[in-house]
Amino acid sequence: SMRRQRLRKTLLGLSFFLFQYFLVIHLLLSPVLIVYGAVHGVIQGSFVIYLLIFLSSLVLGRAFCGWVCPGAGLQELCCLVVKKKAAGRKFYRLKYIIFGIWSSAILYAVFRAGGYHRIDFFFGMDSASPARNGILFFGALVVIAPAAFIWGKWATCHYVCWIAPLMIMGTRIKQHAYWPSLRLRTTAEPCAACGLCDDHCPMSLEVSTLVQSGTMDDPECILCGTCVDTCPSGAIRYSFGS
């Protein structure tokens, strides 16, 4: 139902508000602090949060993106103005390059530090300055909003997000492991080929093509359920199973 989509967008909006208001949430999602912690052999907050996000993807796929991510909350706000679809799949590999550089930096730092030696959840979070706080507050706005206006809705998730490949790996693992997990199911017969699922998909996916193929498994799917709630034929549904 559309009530579910209103709930989802409310949760994303709340997530973005909390992200902007409480700078500690910025720090917990920081791709820099996890490297800083690795340099000193410390497992800190960002490490724990990214581990939890990956573990969630083993059961919930990329639902974090569609329902919880603060950046996605800003993406939804941009969609009030930006209607054009993302530029194209050929640029998707960019986020894997970014993820590769980032994860390699973490592994190299841990290796140089001789491994992790201790756990300090708030390590590296106690230093504050107006400049740092300004960068944290405006960082997401400066990156996400222009990307949406230039390359289309949810462009940052497609091309830049360093967390997306982590969840895509978890999603691939759950798909091959066949353990119970959240996914979308489809039955092609009721499909009226109206195209509403394509028009409303925030990730600019060709949902109708997925429906005709009989599988909804696309690495860019964020399990937002927009296609489920806009399909007048009931051809797509949520499922939790193996």
Side-chain angles (χ1 to χ4, degrees):
S1 67
M2 296 315 295
R3 182 181 301 174
R4 176 164 51 199
Q5 290 306 310
R6 287 193 293 270
L7 172 62
R8 182 182 70 85
K9 293 179 181 181
T10 299
L11 290 174
L12 288 177
L14 178 61
S15 176
F16 178 63
F17 170 78
L18 294 174
F19 180 73
Q20 291 297 102
Y21 190 78
F22 296 103
L23 294 182
V24 65
I25 301 178
H26 278 271
L27 298 173
L28 289 174
L29 289 170
S30 170
V32 177
L33 276 185
I34 190 174
V35 179
Y36 179 70
V39 168
H40 293 85
V42 178
I43 293 176
Q44 50 79 247
S46 297
F47 181 100
V48 175
I49 295 301
Y50 285 125
L51 177 62
L52 290 175
I53 290 174
F54 172 72
L55 292 177
S56 75
S57 71
L58 295 174
V59 178
L60 302 176
R62 291 186 63 181
F64 172 83
C65 304
W67 290 82
V68 182
C69 178
L74 180 55
Q75 305 272 15
E76 281 290 354
L77 290 175
C78 292
C79 284
L80 296 175
V81 179
V82 178
K83 302 300 181 182
K84 67 177 180 179
K85 294 187 176 183
R89 300 184 78 96
K90 62 182 179 180
F91 300 112
Y92 286 3
R93 69 187 69 176
L94 179 59
K95 66 175 175 285
Y96 294 101
I97 296 173
I98 294 172
F99 174 78
I101 295 171
W102 175 60
S103 57
S104 296
I106 296 171
L107 292 174
Y108 179 71
V110 172
F111 175 77
R112 288 293 302 272
Y116 286 110
H117 310 301
R118 63 190 176 97
I119 301 175
D120 183 349
F121 192 81
F122 295 103
F123 182 79
M125 298 186 189
D126 52 356
S127 61
S129 68
R132 190 204 69 169
N133 292 343
I135 291 172
L136 290 175
F137 185 84
F138 291 105
L141 297 170
V142 169
V143 173
I144 293 175
F149 281 93
I150 295 171
W151 293 298
K153 57 185 182 180
W154 290 62
T156 307
C157 298
H158 283 301
Y159 311 133
V160 180
C161 182
W162 61 94
I163 309 178
L166 192 66
M167 287 182 286
I168 290 172
M169 286 192 294
T171 300
R172 291 302 194 196
I173 291 172
K174 83 176 181 68
Q175 289 171 348
H176 287 90
Y178 294 106
W179 56 57
S181 62
L182 182 67
R183 62 187 68 222
L184 296 179
R185 301 281 190 186
T186 182
T187 306
E189 288 79 10
C191 177
C194 63
L196 286 175
C197 54
D198 296 333
D199 294 339
H200 287 88
C201 177
M203 295 297 280
S204 305
L205 303 181
E206 295 180 358
V207 183
S208 59
T209 301
L210 294 172
V211 170
Q212 294 304 316
S213 72
T215 176
M216 300 298 292
D217 293 336
D218 188 296
E220 298 299 313
C221 175
I222 57 174
L223 293 171
C224 65
T226 303
C227 56
V228 177
D229 295 327
T230 56
C231 178
S233 306
I236 311 169
R237 63 192 183 279
Y238 273 121
S239 174
F240 191 92
S242 57

